[in-house]
Amino acid sequence: MSPSPDGASGSPAGVGPAEVEAAAERIGGRVRETPVIALEPGALGVDAELTLKLELLQHTGSFKPRGAFSAMLAADVPAAGVYAASGGNFALAVAHAAARLGHPATIFVPEASPPAKVERLRRGTCEVVVVGALYDDALAVCSERAARAGGLELHAFDDPLVVAGQGTCARELDRQAPGLDTVLVAVGGGGLAGGTCAWYTDRARIVAVEPERAPTLARARAAGAPVEVEVGGLAADSLGARRIGAHPWRALEAWADESVLVSDESIRAAQRLLWDQVRVAAEPGGATALAALLSGAYAPAAGERVGVLVCGANLDPSVLA
Amino acid sequence: MSPSPDGASGSPAGVGPAEVEAAAERIGGRVRETPVIALEPGALGVDAELTLKLELLQHTGSFKPRGAFSAMLAADVPAAGVYAASGGNFALAVAHAAARLGHPATIFVPEASPPAKVERLRRGTCEVVVVGALYDDALAVCSERAARAGGLELHAFDDPLVVAGQGTCARELDRQAPGLDTVLVAVGGGGLAGGTCAWYTDRARIVAVEPERAPTLARARAAGAPVEVEVGGLAADSLGARRIGAHPWRALEAWADESVLVSDESIRAAQRLLWDQVRVAAEPGGATALAALLSGAYAPAAGERVGVLVCGANLDPSVLA
């Protein structure tokens, strides 16, 4: 796709390699370098060379601390601290980063968040408010309260600093597995997918994978701009934003090569296969990118070098039993 | 400890770096290079630089395929195929390796094996016989049947080829994290621990960790030779051999620096902390080496570079919920 120029940044899409590089410098030493595992030919029934980026081993069990630290370290955080709304993973990340950096944090979590995430959050030092059915409902309350209190509101994905931070996951993968042909990444609000596009630009084929029941990117591509969609399904707690973020959208518009949809059944199958064959315990959103390979939604060429971001592990592990 | 010369090998302990190197060449491409993750200073409450070797992501969920392939590829396997007894993990590994190499396999599993392991085994192509209370009981039946059928019996740990194969895990760690001061490794029959000693020799401090309720190495060290012990407890399904193997013992006698014991409670705590802080789902035997750090059974110096083999993941994940 053609880049959409943006005067505010040196990058045609607002966030590009330079912004990701700057984020990596900012957050260096604050996040884990998560490992990759190269699977044997034919693994998981896929005729390609698969490299899994095990970003689910990151602090708090998802990639989200990258963006949280990136935004928080670039800002002057007021005494009222940081405010954030999240399906759960960004909440955990903001709580973690705020605690490490010594800031108060107030977190708004929708009722759709799984108990495993909310319970983890309550163990920390932040204030937790469960409000609204889905992410966007919690976000509205968060914005209003942050403004009233004079706190710094951090957006889970629609912030160039957050997108750049999430892009550091792709930068790390690129160093660990140079020369990938293709990278598969899940899309919710688009932070990780946008950051992945921002890092790789045209150097790899980026396949953006969404649940059929949360097609924020697919609908945006059809409409030519972000639009509101109905969301639900198995991965709604992590990929359940109703609209793709404007900042991620610019990077995805510029550099995402394919947008594919996967069913809840194939997400569950990917989650089970990751456990059965690799002993990796991913949440549905964390297994969504892989689901595109298993379902055939994305069919690599024989021998194609494919990286898959396995990006979240905040699940009740008994679903794997 | 002083090496005990052994005329049958160039190594003073029967299996040494050359044998491990040869095993690595034999099994190359058959096993996964499993990743390591370097944790942040102070992680898991330990004041040392921890590197976890995530060998539990190996085929079949434990390190055992290394030894199984090592032994099978060095032998002329008869038409009757291979026979093995195992608490479960070696069984899965032999079944896997035999299937890949096209040999029939007959596997003897004690009643102590957890359903998660037996169920996985039954999904494969091998013949499964559940017999006897513990590992050694199943082993006796296996030996008798293998002799009668003319099959090749593979011992889960007391075989130089198996010890050398397991040592390839340490060799891989050494390349991924050069210059470790200390390596912590769990001991059951001693295959992995012996192989780790065989690779590192005197180049790192090897701390051999056992459950208090399965102290095969501690008792052997006290007696000056392998002796039979009572075994039980949380990790008995993977570390429940009644006597340390003669071949592992030679390597452990030569090169293990410390032998420490951990309680079932600290093994469970290590298992939970691995999940809570790193989203790694280890079985009790797989978390036993780490338990020595958490319990203080082994206390590293500040800044000590410590590698921990996290070596098995064949658990019912609902215990982590």
Side-chain angles (χ1 to χ4, degrees), chain A residues 37-126:
Chain A
I37 185 165
L39 299 182
E40 59 284 0
L44 311 183
V46 177
D47 187 19
E49 285 188 35
L50 289 191
T51 297
L52 307 182
K53 172 68 168 162
L54 302 180
E55 181 65 14
L56 76 179
L57 307 183
Q58 189 54 264
H59 290 295
T60 75
S62 89
F63 63 94
K64 296 277 190 179
R66 296 177 183 272
F69 275 114
S70 171
M72 239 179 268
L73 287 166
D76 276 330
V77 177
V82 295
Y83 281 65
S86 159
N89 284 341
F90 188 66
L92 288 163
V94 168
H96 170 81
R100 293 290 170 101
L101 299 175
H103 302 307
T106 310
I107 308 289
F108 298 79
V109 182
E111 286 146 15
S113 287
K117 291 183 184 175
V118 178
E119 199 268 321
R120 277 183 184 277
L121 207 53
R122 290 199 193 279
R123 277 190 255 157
T125 56
C126 63

Coordinates of all heavy atoms in Angstrom, one line a residue, chain A residues 37-126:
Chain A
I37 N 11.7 -19.1 19.3 CA 12.0 -20.6 19.0 C 11.7 -20.9 17.6 O 10.7 -20.5 17.0 CB 11.2 -21.5 20.0 CG1 11.6 -22.9 19.8 CG2 9.7 -21.3 19.8 CD1 11.2 -23.9 20.9
A38 N 12.8 -21.4 16.9 CA 12.6 -21.8 15.5 C 12.1 -23.3 15.5 O 12.7 -24.1 16.1 CB 14.0 -21.7 14.8
L39 N 11.0 -23.5 14.9 CA 10.4 -24.8 14.8 C 10.9 -25.6 13.6 O 11.4 -25.0 12.6 CB 8.9 -24.8 14.8 CG 8.3 -24.1 16.0 CD1 6.7 -24.1 15.9 CD2 8.7 -24.7 17.3
E40 N 10.9 -26.9 13.8 CA 11.3 -27.8 12.7 C 10.4 -27.7 11.5 O 9.3 -27.4 11.6 CB 11.4 -29.2 13.3 CG 10.0 -29.8 13.7 CD 9.6 -29.2 15.1 OE1 10.3 -28.4 15.7 OE2 8.5 -29.6 15.6
P41 N 11.0 -28.0 10.3 CA 10.1 -28.0 9.1 C 8.9 -28.9 9.3 O 9.0 -30.0 9.8 CB 11.1 -28.6 8.0 CG 12.4 -28.3 8.5 CD 12.3 -28.4 10.0
G42 N 7.8 -28.4 8.9 CA 6.5 -29.1 9.0 C 5.9 -29.0 10.4 O 4.8 -29.6 10.6
A43 N 6.5 -28.3 11.3 CA 5.9 -28.2 12.7 C 4.5 -27.6 12.6 O 4.3 -26.7 11.7 CB 6.8 -27.4 13.6
L44 N 3.7 -28.0 13.5 CA 2.3 -27.5 13.6 C 1.5 -27.7 12.3 O 0.5 -27.1 12.1 CB 2.3 -26.0 14.0 CG 3.2 -25.6 15.2 CD1 3.0 -24.1 15.5 CD2 2.9 -26.5 16.4
G45 N 2.0 -28.6 11.5 CA 1.3 -28.9 10.2 C 1.5 -27.8 9.1 O 0.7 -27.8 8.2
V46 N 2.4 -26.9 9.3 CA 2.6 -25.8 8.4 C 3.9 -26.0 7.6 O 4.9 -26.3 8.1 CB 2.7 -24.5 9.2 CG1 2.9 -23.3 8.2 CG2 1.4 -24.2 10.0
D47 N 3.7 -26.0 6.3 CA 4.9 -26.2 5.4 C 5.6 -24.9 5.2 O 5.6 -24.3 4.1 CB 4.4 -26.7 4.0 CG 5.5 -27.2 3.1 OD1 6.6 -27.4 3.7 OD2 5.3 -27.3 1.9
A48 N 6.3 -24.4 6.2 CA 7.1 -23.2 6.2 C 8.1 -23.2 7.3 O 8.0 -24.1 8.2 CB 6.1 -22.0 6.3
E49 N 9.0 -22.3 7.3 CA 10.0 -22.2 8.4 C 9.4 -21.3 9.4 O 9.5 -20.0 9.2 CB 11.3 -21.8 7.9 CG 12.1 -22.8 7.1 CD 13.5 -22.4 6.8 OE1 14.1 -21.6 7.6 OE2 14.0 -22.7 5.7
L50 N 8.9 -21.8 10.5 CA 8.2 -21.0 11.5 C 9.2 -20.6 12.6 O 9.9 -21.4 13.2 CB 7.1 -21.7 12.2 CG 5.8 -22.0 11.4 CD1 4.7 -22.5 12.3 CD2 5.4 -20.7 10.7
T51 N 9.2 -19.3 12.9 CA 9.9 -18.8 14.1 C 8.8 -18.1 15.0 O 8.1 -17.2 14.6 CB 10.9 -17.7 13.8 OG1 11.9 -18.4 13.0 CG2 11.6 -17.2 15.0
L52 N 8.7 -18.6 16.2 CA 7.7 -18.0 17.2 C 8.4 -17.0 18.1 O 9.5 -17.3 18.7 CB 7.1 -19.1 18.0 CG 6.4 -20.3 17.4 CD1 5.8 -21.2 18.4 CD2 5.3 -19.8 16.4
K53 N 7.9 -15.8 18.1 CA 8.4 -14.8 19.0 C 7.6 -14.9 20.3 O 6.4 -14.6 20.3 CB 8.3 -13.4 18.4 CG 8.6 -12.2 19.4 CD 10.1 -12.1 19.7 CE 10.4 -10.8 20.4 NZ 11.7 -10.9 21.1
L54 N 8.3 -15.4 21.4 CA 7.6 -15.7 22.6 C 7.4 -14.4 23.5 O 7.9 -14.4 24.6 CB 8.3 -16.8 23.4 CG 8.4 -18.1 22.5 CD1 9.2 -19.2 23.3 CD2 7.1 -18.6 22.1
E55 N 6.7 -13.5 23.0 CA 6.6 -12.2 23.7 C 5.6 -12.3 24.9 O 5.6 -11.5 25.7 CB 6.1 -11.1 22.7 CG 5.9 -9.8 23.3 CD 7.2 -9.1 23.7 OE1 8.3 -9.6 23.4 OE2 7.1 -8.1 24.5
L56 N 5.0 -13.5 24.9 CA 4.1 -13.7 26.1 C 4.9 -14.0 27.4 O 4.3 -14.0 28.4 CB 3.1 -14.8 25.8 CG 3.6 -16.3 25.8 CD1 2.4 -17.2 25.5 CD2 4.7 -16.6 24.9
L57 N 6.2 -14.1 27.2 CA 7.0 -14.2 28.4 C 7.5 -12.9 29.0 O 8.3 -12.8 29.9 CB 8.3 -15.1 28.1 CG 8.0 -16.5 27.5 CD1 9.3 -17.3 27.4 CD2 7.0 -17.3 28.4
Q58 N 7.0 -11.8 28.3 CA 7.3 -10.4 28.8 C 6.7 -10.2 30.2 O 5.8 -10.9 30.6 CB 6.7 -9.4 27.8 CG 7.1 -8.0 27.9 CD 8.6 -7.8 27.9 OE1 9.2 -7.7 29.0 NE2 9.2 -7.7 26.8
H59 N 7.3 -9.2 30.9 CA 6.7 -8.8 32.1 C 5.2 -8.6 32.0 O 4.7 -8.1 31.0 CB 7.2 -7.4 32.6 CG 8.6 -7.4 33.0 ND1 9.1 -8.1 34.1 CD2 9.7 -6.8 32.5 CE1 10.4 -7.9 34.2 NE2 10.8 -7.2 33.2
T60 N 4.4 -9.1 32.9 CA 2.9 -9.0 32.9 C 2.3 -9.9 31.9 O 1.1 -9.8 31.7 CB 2.4 -7.5 32.8 OG1 2.5 -7.1 31.5 CG2 3.1 -6.6 33.8
G61 N 3.0 -10.7 31.2 CA 2.4 -11.7 30.3 C 1.9 -11.2 29.0 O 1.2 -11.9 28.3
S62 N 2.4 -10.0 28.5 CA 2.1 -9.6 27.2 C 3.1 -8.5 26.7 O 3.9 -8.0 27.5 CB 0.6 -9.0 27.1 OG 0.6 -7.6 27.4
F63 N 3.0 -8.1 25.5 CA 3.9 -7.1 24.9 C 3.6 -5.7 25.4 O 4.4 -4.8 25.2 CB 3.7 -7.1 23.4 CG 2.4 -6.6 22.9 CD1 2.1 -5.3 22.7 CD2 1.3 -7.5 22.9 CE1 0.8 -4.9 22.3 CE2 0.0 -7.1 22.5 CZ -0.2 -5.8 22.2
K64 N 2.6 -5.5 26.2 CA 2.1 -4.1 26.5 C 3.1 -3.3 27.3 O 3.0 -2.1 27.2 CB 0.7 -4.2 27.2 CG -0.4 -4.8 26.3 CD -1.0 -3.8 25.4 CE -2.3 -4.3 24.7 NZ -2.9 -3.3 23.9
P65 N 3.9 -3.8 28.1 CA 4.8 -3.0 28.9 C 5.8 -2.2 27.9 O 6.2 -1.1 28.3 CB 5.7 -3.9 29.7 CG 4.7 -5.1 30.0 CD 4.0 -5.2 28.6
R66 N 6.0 -2.7 26.8 CA 6.9 -1.9 25.8 C 6.3 -0.5 25.5 O 6.9 0.5 25.6 CB 7.0 -2.7 24.5 CG 7.8 -4.0 24.7 CD 7.9 -4.8 23.4 NE 8.5 -6.1 23.5 CZ 9.8 -6.3 23.4 NH1 10.6 -5.3 23.2 NH2 10.3 -7.5 23.6
G67 N 5.0 -0.5 25.2 CA 4.3 0.7 24.9 C 4.1 1.6 26.1 O 4.2 2.8 26.1
A68 N 3.8 0.9 27.3 CA 3.5 1.7 28.5 C 4.8 2.4 28.9 O 4.7 3.6 29.3 CB 3.0 0.7 29.6
F69 N 5.9 1.7 29.0 CA 7.2 2.4 29.3 C 7.5 3.4 28.3 O 8.0 4.5 28.7 CB 8.3 1.4 29.4 CG 8.4 0.7 30.8 CD1 8.2 -0.7 30.9 CD2 8.8 1.4 31.9 CE1 8.3 -1.3 32.1 CE2 8.9 0.7 33.1 CZ 8.6 -0.6 33.2
S70 N 7.3 3.2 27.0 CA 7.7 4.1 26.0 C 6.9 5.4 26.2 O 7.5 6.5 26.1 CB 7.3 3.5 24.6 OG 7.5 4.5 23.6
A71 N 5.6 5.4 26.5 CA 4.8 6.6 26.7 C 5.2 7.3 28.0 O 5.3 8.5 28.0 CB 3.4 6.2 26.6
M72 N 5.3 6.5 29.0 CA 5.5 7.1 30.4 C 6.9 7.7 30.5 O 7.0 8.8 31.1 CB 5.4 6.0 31.4 CG 4.3 6.2 32.4 SD 4.2 4.9 33.6 CE 2.9 3.9 32.8
L73 N 7.9 7.1 29.8 CA 9.3 7.7 29.9 C 9.5 8.9 29.0 O 10.4 9.6 29.2 CB 10.3 6.6 29.6 CG 10.5 5.5 30.7 CD1 11.2 4.3 30.1 CD2 11.2 6.1 31.9
A74 N 8.5 9.1 28.1 CA 8.6 10.3 27.2 C 7.8 11.5 27.8 O 7.9 12.6 27.2 CB 8.1 9.9 25.8
A75 N 7.1 11.3 28.9 CA 6.2 12.3 29.4 C 6.6 12.9 30.7 O 7.4 12.2 31.4 CB 4.8 11.7 29.5
D76 N 6.1 14.0 31.0 CA 6.2 14.6 32.4 C 4.9 14.1 33.1 O 3.8 14.5 32.9 CB 6.2 16.1 32.4 CG 7.6 16.6 32.2 OD1 8.5 16.0 32.6 OD2 7.7 17.7 31.6
V77 N 5.1 13.1 34.0 CA 3.9 12.5 34.7 C 3.5 13.4 35.8 O 4.4 13.7 36.7 CB 4.2 11.1 35.1 CG1 3.0 10.5 35.9 CG2 4.6 10.2 33.9
P78 N 2.3 13.9 35.9 CA 1.9 14.8 37.0 C 1.7 14.0 38.3 O 1.7 12.8 38.3 CB 0.5 15.3 36.5 CG 0.0 14.3 35.6 CD 1.2 13.7 34.9
A79 N 1.6 14.8 39.4 CA 1.5 14.1 40.7 C 0.3 13.2 40.8 O 0.3 12.2 41.5 CB 1.4 15.2 41.8
A80 N -0.8 13.5 40.0 CA -2.0 12.7 40.0 C -1.7 11.3 39.4 O -2.6 10.4 39.4 CB -3.2 13.4 39.3
G81 N -0.6 11.2 38.7 CA -0.2 9.9 38.2 C -0.9 9.6 36.8 O -1.3 10.5 36.1
V82 N -0.8 8.3 36.5 CA -1.3 7.9 35.1 C -2.7 7.3 35.2 O -3.0 6.6 36.2 CB -0.3 7.0 34.4 CG1 1.0 7.7 34.2 CG2 -0.1 5.7 35.3
Y83 N -3.5 7.4 34.2 CA -4.8 6.9 34.1 C -4.8 6.0 32.8 O -4.3 6.5 31.8 CB -5.9 8.0 34.0 CG -6.2 8.5 35.3 CD1 -5.3 9.3 36.1 CD2 -7.5 8.4 35.9 CE1 -5.6 9.8 37.3 CE2 -7.8 8.9 37.1 CZ -6.9 9.6 37.8 OH -7.2 10.1 39.1
A84 N -5.4 4.9 32.8 CA -5.5 4.1 31.6 C -6.7 3.2 31.7 O -7.1 2.7 32.7 CB -4.2 3.2 31.4
A85 N -7.3 2.9 30.5 CA -8.4 1.9 30.3 C -7.8 0.8 29.5 O -7.0 1.0 28.6 CB -9.6 2.5 29.7
S86 N -8.3 -0.4 29.8 CA -7.7 -1.5 29.1 C -8.6 -2.8 29.3 O -9.2 -3.0 30.3 CB -6.3 -1.8 29.7 OG -5.9 -3.1 29.4
G87 N -8.5 -3.6 28.2 CA -9.2 -4.9 28.4 C -8.5 -5.8 29.4 O -9.0 -6.9 29.8
G88 N -7.3 -5.4 29.9 CA -6.6 -6.1 30.9 C -5.1 -6.1 30.7 O -4.4 -5.8 31.7
N89 N -4.7 -6.4 29.5 CA -3.2 -6.5 29.3 C -2.5 -5.1 29.4 O -1.4 -5.0 30.0 CB -2.9 -7.1 28.0 CG -3.1 -8.7 28.1 OD1 -3.1 -9.2 29.2 ND2 -3.2 -9.3 26.9
F90 N -3.1 -4.1 28.8 CA -2.5 -2.8 28.9 C -2.6 -2.3 30.4 O -1.7 -1.6 30.9 CB -3.1 -1.8 28.0 CG -2.4 -0.4 27.9 CD1 -1.1 -0.3 27.4 CD2 -3.0 0.7 28.3 CE1 -0.5 0.9 27.3 CE2 -2.4 2.0 28.3 CZ -1.1 2.0 27.7
A91 N -3.7 -2.6 31.0 CA -3.8 -2.3 32.5 C -2.7 -2.9 33.3 O -2.1 -2.2 34.1 CB -5.2 -2.8 33.0
L92 N -2.4 -4.2 33.1 CA -1.4 -4.8 33.8 C 0.0 -4.1 33.5 O 0.8 -3.9 34.4 CB -1.3 -6.3 33.5 CG -2.4 -7.2 34.0 CD1 -2.5 -8.5 33.3 CD2 -2.3 -7.4 35.5
A93 N 0.2 -3.8 32.3 CA 1.4 -3.2 31.9 C 1.6 -1.8 32.5 O 2.7 -1.4 32.9 CB 1.5 -3.1 30.4
V94 N 0.5 -1.0 32.5 CA 0.6 0.4 33.0 C 0.8 0.3 34.5 O 1.7 1.0 35.1 CB -0.7 1.2 32.7 CG1 -0.7 2.5 33.5 CG2 -0.7 1.5 31.2
A95 N 0.1 -0.6 35.2 CA 0.3 -0.8 36.6 C 1.8 -1.2 36.9 O 2.4 -0.6 37.9 CB -0.6 -1.8 37.1
H96 N 2.3 -2.1 36.1 CA 3.7 -2.5 36.3 C 4.7 -1.4 36.1 O 5.6 -1.1 36.9 CB 4.0 -3.7 35.3 CG 5.4 -4.1 35.2 ND1 6.0 -4.9 36.1 CD2 6.3 -3.8 34.3 CE1 7.2 -5.1 35.8 NE2 7.5 -4.4 34.7
A97 N 4.5 -0.7 35.0 CA 5.5 0.4 34.6 C 5.4 1.5 35.6 O 6.4 2.1 36.1 CB 5.2 0.9 33.2
A98 N 4.1 1.9 36.0 CA 4.0 3.0 37.0 C 4.6 2.6 38.3 O 5.3 3.4 39.0 CB 2.5 3.2 37.2
A99 N 4.4 1.4 38.8 CA 5.1 0.9 40.0 C 6.6 1.0 39.9 O 7.2 1.5 40.9 CB 4.6 -0.5 40.4
R100 N 7.1 0.6 38.8 CA 8.6 0.6 38.6 C 9.1 2.0 38.6 O 10.2 2.3 39.1 CB 9.0 -0.1 37.3 CG 8.8 -1.6 37.4 CD 9.7 -2.3 38.3 NE 9.3 -3.7 38.5 CZ 9.9 -4.8 37.9 NH1 10.9 -4.5 37.1 NH2 9.5 -6.0 38.1
L101 N 8.3 2.9 38.0 CA 8.8 4.3 37.9 C 8.3 5.2 39.0 O 8.6 6.4 39.0 CB 8.3 4.9 36.5 CG 8.8 4.1 35.3 CD1 8.2 4.7 34.0 CD2 10.3 4.2 35.2
G102 N 7.5 4.6 39.9 CA 7.2 5.4 41.1 C 6.0 6.4 40.9 O 5.9 7.4 41.6
H103 N 5.1 6.1 40.0 CA 3.9 6.9 39.7 C 2.7 6.2 40.2 O 2.5 5.0 40.1 CB 3.7 7.2 38.2 CG 4.9 7.8 37.5 ND1 5.5 9.0 38.0 CD2 5.6 7.4 36.4 CE1 6.5 9.3 37.2 NE2 6.6 8.3 36.2
P104 N 1.7 7.0 40.8 CA 0.4 6.4 41.1 C -0.3 6.0 39.7 O 0.0 6.7 38.7 CB -0.4 7.6 41.7 CG 0.6 8.7 42.0 CD 1.8 8.4 41.1
A105 N -1.1 5.0 39.8 CA -1.9 4.6 38.6 C -3.3 4.2 38.9 O -3.6 3.6 39.9 CB -1.2 3.3 38.0
T106 N -4.2 4.7 38.1 CA -5.6 4.4 38.2 C -6.1 3.7 36.9 O -5.9 4.2 35.8 CB -6.5 5.7 38.4 OG1 -5.9 6.4 39.5 CG2 -7.9 5.3 38.8
I107 N -6.6 2.5 37.0 CA -6.9 1.6 35.9 C -8.3 1.3 35.8 O -9.0 0.9 36.7 CB -6.1 0.3 36.0 CG1 -4.6 0.6 36.4 CG2 -6.2 -0.6 34.8 CD1 -3.8 1.1 35.2
F108 N -8.9 1.5 34.5 CA -10.3 1.2 34.3 C -10.4 0.0 33.4 O -9.9 -0.1 32.3 CB -10.9 2.4 33.6 CG -10.9 3.7 34.5 CD1 -9.7 4.4 34.6 CD2 -12.0 4.0 35.2 CE1 -9.6 5.5 35.4 CE2 -11.9 5.1 36.1 CZ -10.7 5.9 36.2
V109 N -11.1 -1.0 33.9 CA -11.2 -2.3 33.2 C -12.6 -2.6 32.9 O -13.5 -2.5 33.8 CB -10.6 -3.4 34.2 CG1 -10.6 -4.8 33.5 CG2 -9.2 -3.0 34.6
P110 N -12.9 -3.0 31.7 CA -14.3 -3.4 31.4 C -14.7 -4.7 32.0 O -13.9 -5.5 32.3 CB -14.3 -3.5 29.9 CG -13.0 -3.8 29.5 CD -12.1 -3.2 30.5
E111 N -16.0 -4.9 32.1 CA -16.5 -6.2 32.7 C -16.2 -7.4 31.9 O -16.2 -8.5 32.4 CB -18.1 -6.1 32.9 CG -18.4 -5.1 34.1 CD -19.7 -4.4 33.8 OE1 -20.5 -4.7 32.9 OE2 -20.0 -3.4 34.6
A112 N -15.8 -7.2 30.6 CA -15.5 -8.3 29.7 C -14.1 -8.9 30.1 O -13.8 -10.0 29.6 CB -15.5 -7.9 28.3
S113 N -13.3 -8.2 30.9 CA -12.0 -8.7 31.2 C -12.1 -10.0 32.0 O -12.9 -10.1 32.9 CB -11.2 -7.7 32.0 OG -10.8 -6.6 31.2
P114 N -11.3 -11.0 31.7 CA -11.3 -12.3 32.4 C -10.8 -12.1 33.8 O -9.9 -11.3 34.1 CB -10.4 -13.2 31.6 CG -9.5 -12.3 30.8 CD -10.3 -11.0 30.6
P115 N -11.4 -12.8 34.8 CA -11.0 -12.8 36.2 C -9.5 -12.9 36.4 O -8.9 -12.3 37.2 CB -11.8 -13.9 36.8 CG -13.0 -14.1 35.9 CD -12.5 -13.8 34.5
A116 N -8.8 -13.7 35.5 CA -7.4 -14.0 35.7 C -6.6 -12.6 35.6 O -5.7 -12.4 36.3 CB -6.9 -15.0 34.7
K117 N -7.1 -11.8 34.7 CA -6.4 -10.5 34.5 C -6.8 -9.5 35.6 O -5.9 -8.8 36.2 CB -6.8 -9.9 33.2 CG -6.2 -10.6 32.0 CD -6.5 -9.9 30.7 CE -6.0 -10.8 29.5 NZ -6.4 -10.3 28.2
V118 N -8.0 -9.4 36.0 CA -8.5 -8.5 37.0 C -7.8 -8.9 38.4 O -7.4 -8.0 39.1 CB -10.0 -8.4 37.1 CG1 -10.4 -7.5 38.2 CG2 -10.6 -8.0 35.8
E119 N -7.8 -10.1 38.6 CA -7.2 -10.6 39.9 C -5.8 -10.3 40.0 O -5.3 -9.8 41.0 CB -7.5 -12.1 40.0 CG -7.4 -12.7 41.4 CD -6.0 -13.1 41.8 OE1 -5.3 -13.7 40.9 OE2 -5.5 -12.9 42.9
R120 N -5.0 -10.5 38.9 CA -3.6 -10.1 38.9 C -3.4 -8.6 39.1 O -2.5 -8.2 39.8 CB -3.0 -10.4 37.5 CG -2.6 -11.8 37.3 CD -1.9 -12.0 36.0 NE -1.6 -13.4 35.7 CZ -0.5 -14.0 36.2 NH1 0.4 -13.3 36.9 NH2 -0.2 -15.2 36.0
L121 N -4.3 -7.8 38.5 CA -4.3 -6.3 38.7 C -4.5 -5.9 40.1 O -3.8 -5.1 40.6 CB -5.3 -5.8 37.8 CG -5.2 -4.4 37.2 CD1 -3.9 -4.2 36.4 CD2 -6.4 -4.2 36.2
R122 N -5.4 -6.5 40.8 CA -5.8 -6.2 42.1 C -4.6 -6.5 43.1 O -4.5 -6.0 44.2 CB -7.0 -6.9 42.6 CG -8.3 -6.4 41.9 CD -9.5 -6.8 42.7 NE -10.8 -6.6 41.9 CZ -11.4 -5.4 41.8 NH1 -10.9 -4.3 42.3 NH2 -12.5 -5.4 41.1
R123 N -3.7 -7.4 42.7 CA -2.6 -7.8 43.6 C -1.6 -6.6 43.6 O -0.7 -6.6 44.5 CB -1.9 -9.0 43.1 CG -2.6 -10.3 43.5 CD -1.8 -11.5 43.2 NE -2.3 -12.3 42.1 CZ -1.6 -13.0 41.3 NH1 -0.3 -13.1 41.5 NH2 -2.2 -13.7 40.3
G124 N -1.6 -5.7 42.6 CA -0.6 -4.7 42.6 C -1.0 -3.5 43.4 O -1.8 -3.5 44.3
T125 N -0.3 -2.4 43.1 CA -0.5 -1.2 44.0 C -1.4 -0.1 43.3 O -1.7 0.9 43.9 CB 0.9 -0.5 44.2 OG1 1.5 -0.2 42.9 CG2 1.8 -1.4 45.0
C126 N -1.9 -0.4 42.1 CA -2.7 0.6 41.4 C -4.2 0.5 42.0 O -4.6 -0.4 42.6 CB -2.7 0.3 39.9 SG -3.5 -1.2 39.5

